[in-house]
Amino acid sequence: MERNASGPSRRRLLQSAALVATAGVLLPATQADADSATDYPTAHWHPASTANYTASNRPSAYTIDRVVIHVTQETFPNTLAIFQDPAKAVTAHYVVRSADGYIAQCVREHDIAWHAGNWDYNTRSIGIEHEGWVDKPEYFTDALYEKSAALTASVCDRYGIPKDRTHIIGHVEVPGTDHTDPGPHWDWVRYLRLVNSA
């Protein structure tokens, strides 16, 4: 009788354990699991298509000595969709949302995002896109400036990049580019002050 009583109990226990183990395998990764792939602790992982960047081993393969500031000329969701479309051939490492400063990481920092329109600058920089348009300064919110500046400060600290306008540049300043972002409404004085106080 003990055998019969303990047999089914043990069987149920083993079945329950198997179900728990199987559920862990079958369930998709949680957001927290996915975010562990980010290089910046408060970023959220939104991977770009692997067709839109070059796998690398930076900073061993290439020195990282610049941060390039961009403005998307698109909405935040559309920007992420563009980066995930293998036909677009464009990405940045990060995208910052206007309303609340939410940060999406789309490409790992050790890889080369295709953001600058200049291969040399792509290999040596981290690209940060900001939701908005160059002619709509209302998109440059306090949250966007503050969260982006903290991200840029972290990048600079991790790679030994000076926190100045020689090393934190706009897309418009990349040689050979035809882009104008971040545009005349981007407050560089405020941004650099926030970067240096982060």
Side-chain angles (χ1 to χ4, degrees):
M1 202 178 306
E2 286 180 18
R3 200 178 88 150
N4 290 341
S6 64
S9 295
R10 184 165 188 252
R11 188 169 31 255
R12 267 181 273 173
L13 181 61
L14 291 172
Q15 287 171 340
S16 296
L19 284 173
V20 169
T22 304
V25 172
L26 296 177
L27 290 176
T30 64
Q31 187 65 40
D33 293 336
D35 291 346
S36 67
T38 64
D39 296 299
Y40 183 62
T42 62
H44 302 273
W45 186 237
H46 293 268
S49 167
T50 57
N52 292 340
Y53 64 88
T54 302
S56 188
N57 187 26
R58 302 186 312 164
S60 298
Y62 298 95
T63 299
I64 299 173
D65 64 4
R66 296 280 186 282
V67 175
V68 180
I69 301 299
H70 301 266
V71 173
T72 60
Q73 298 296 107
E74 265 298 348
T75 65
F76 182 86
N78 284 354
T79 301
L80 296 181
I82 289 167
F83 289 175
Q84 292 166 350
D85 181 345
K88 296 298 185 180
V90 65
T91 49
H93 294 93
Y94 296 96
V95 185
V96 183
R97 189 163 58 197
S98 172
D100 56 5
Y102 175 98
I103 298 171
Q105 182 169 2
C106 303
V107 176
R108 292 296 306 271
E109 290 176 7
H110 62 73
D111 292 326
I112 301 166
W114 301 344
H115 62 96
N118 174 313
W119 178 248
D120 180 51
Y121 274 71
N122 282 344
T123 63
R124 62 196 289 193
S125 65
I126 300 295
I128 305 175
E129 287 278 3
H130 298 82
E131 179 185 25
W133 284 262
V134 296
D135 58 347
K136 295 181 180 177
E138 62 270 21
Y139 276 88
F140 304 150
T141 63
D142 291 344
L144 178 136
Y145 274 121
E146 290 163 9
K147 299 295 176 98
S148 173
L151 168 61
T152 294
S154 173
V155 169
C156 290
D157 289 343
R158 284 183 280 119
Y159 296 103
I161 302 170
K163 297 174 183 174
D164 59 31
R165 284 288 285 119
T166 301
H167 298 89
I168 303 169
I169 64 172
H171 193 180
V172 65
E173 297 167 277
V174 174
T177 188
D178 61 355
H179 288 250
T180 62
D181 58 307
H185 299 293
W186 184 261
D187 190 339
W188 280 109
V189 172
R190 177 185 183 189
Y191 191 69
L192 266 291
R193 186 176 67 246
L194 288 168
V195 169
N196 281 282
S197 65

